[in-house]
Amino acid sequence: EVQLVESGGGLVQPGRSLRLSCTASGFTFGDYAMSWVRQAPGKGLEWVGFIRSKAYGGTTEYAASVKGRFTISRDDSKSIAYLQMNSLKTEDTAVYYCTRSITDDYWGQGTLVTVSS
Amino acid sequence: NFMLTQPHSVSESPGKTVTISCTRSSGSIASNYVQWYQQRPGSSPTTVIYEDNQRPSGVPDRFSGSIDSSSNSASLTISGLKTEDEADYYCQSYDSSNQVFGGGTKLTVL
């Protein structure tokens, strides 16, 4: 059974940093791209970025709203994807979901990030 | 980058059929697969349609997907509506360097 479990969310002040983790199980993690999607309170889904599998270079792509502030990485030996969030803004407040592949076929339960002073 | 436009809300009675549209702003709808997700209140999204018209195991065949190149849009059709189908539905597609979500459609079954 495919499982994705996010962790690392919480309350953080504007301008500070936070790192989210996504621990995967039930599939060969290294074979898949991994994505991050967020949902602000009461709003729709917003793509954050994705990281390709090593077979496709392990490169990353980001939404314009987070480019230069957020970084996605992966540790295939541990089946974990990371989302490093720097220079956080109040508008980054959202539930952050980890998903498998660029088609988001499986989703985690999400972790809430609140950016507030 | 392209955009995906969905109706904000739709409503229909139990037992009826409803169709939710998803229109791509630029580029061909057929150039990249379209996915559909269901999100019930307080829950994570789950996939109900992938690769335009494929259903994951466990999704009832009341759910179907299609694309129409003439209108450059994708559609999610739910037949035999049940109250449990009441949820938000999102379409999604991608290109080589982006993923795009539609704004979501709130389905009310009344």
Side-chain angles (χ1 to χ4, degrees):
Chain A
E1 177 193 7
V2 172
Q3 285 197 318
L4 301 171
V5 179
E6 301 94 337
S7 60
L11 174 64
V12 61
Q13 293 179 327
R16 303 299 289 260
S17 299
L18 202 62
R19 187 178 81 160
L20 307 183
S21 299
C22 169
T23 302
S25 60
F27 64 100
T28 303
F29 182 78
D31 288 350
Y32 288 85
M34 297 298 295
S35 300
W36 287 92
V37 177
R38 68 184 180 182
Q39 187 171 35
K43 302 297 185 182
L45 302 174
E46 180 189 14
W47 172 67
V48 172
F50 66 79
I51 185 166
R52 297 177 177 87
S53 67
K54 291 289 196 296
Y56 289 88
T59 51
T60 52
E61 305 288 350
Y62 300 96
S65 57
V66 306
K67 198 167 187 178
R69 299 188 299 125
F70 290 11
T71 302
I72 299 173
S73 60
R74 62 190 300 155
D75 185 337
D76 290 352
S77 69
K78 297 180 179 178
S79 298
I80 300 177
Y82 299 100
L83 178 64
Q84 176 68 44
M85 304 184 292
N86 298 333
S87 303
L88 281 161
K89 306 175 181 180
T90 55
E91 53 263 41
D92 295 320
T93 294
V95 174
Y96 284 74
Y97 295 102
C98 163
T99 76
R100 190 181 79 165
S101 91
I102 62 171
T103 58
D104 308 310
D105 55 357
Y106 287 92
W107 297 64
Q109 85 289 351
T111 187
L112 176 62
V113 173
T114 303
V115 185
S116 174
S117 54
Chain B
N1 288 357
F2 62 95
M3 294 172 52
L4 297 173
T5 301
Q6 301 178 231
H8 185 257
S9 63
V10 296
S11 62
E12 190 50 271
S13 303
K16 300 290 190 179
T17 296
V18 71
T19 297
I20 299 171
S21 62
C22 171
T23 301
R24 179 165 171 159
S25 62
S26 60
S28 172
I29 192 72
S31 60
N32 304 97
Y33 286 127
V34 175
Q35 285 56 241
W36 290 90
Y37 311 100
Q38 176 192 69
Q39 186 178 33
R40 296 190 173 106
S43 296
S44 304
T46 60
T47 303
V48 292
I49 293 290
Y50 68 98
E51 293 181 359
D52 298 341
N53 55 18
Q54 301 299 303
R55 274 180 293 107
S57 59
V59 174
D61 60 6
R62 301 185 296 106
F63 289 80
S64 63
S66 63
I67 63 168
D68 179 358
S69 295
S70 66
S71 59
N72 214 35
S73 64
S75 295
L76 172 68
T77 299
I78 310 171
S79 59
L81 275 169
K82 301 183 176 185
T83 55
E84 67 202 47
D85 298 331
E86 188 162 290
D88 293 326
Y89 292 85
Y90 295 89
C91 61
Q92 182 263 23
S93 192
Y94 56 89
D95 61 21
S96 61
S97 57
N98 293 282
Q99 291 181 37
V100 178
F101 287 93
T105 299
K106 181 176 181 59
L107 169 62
T108 302
V109 182
L110 35 66

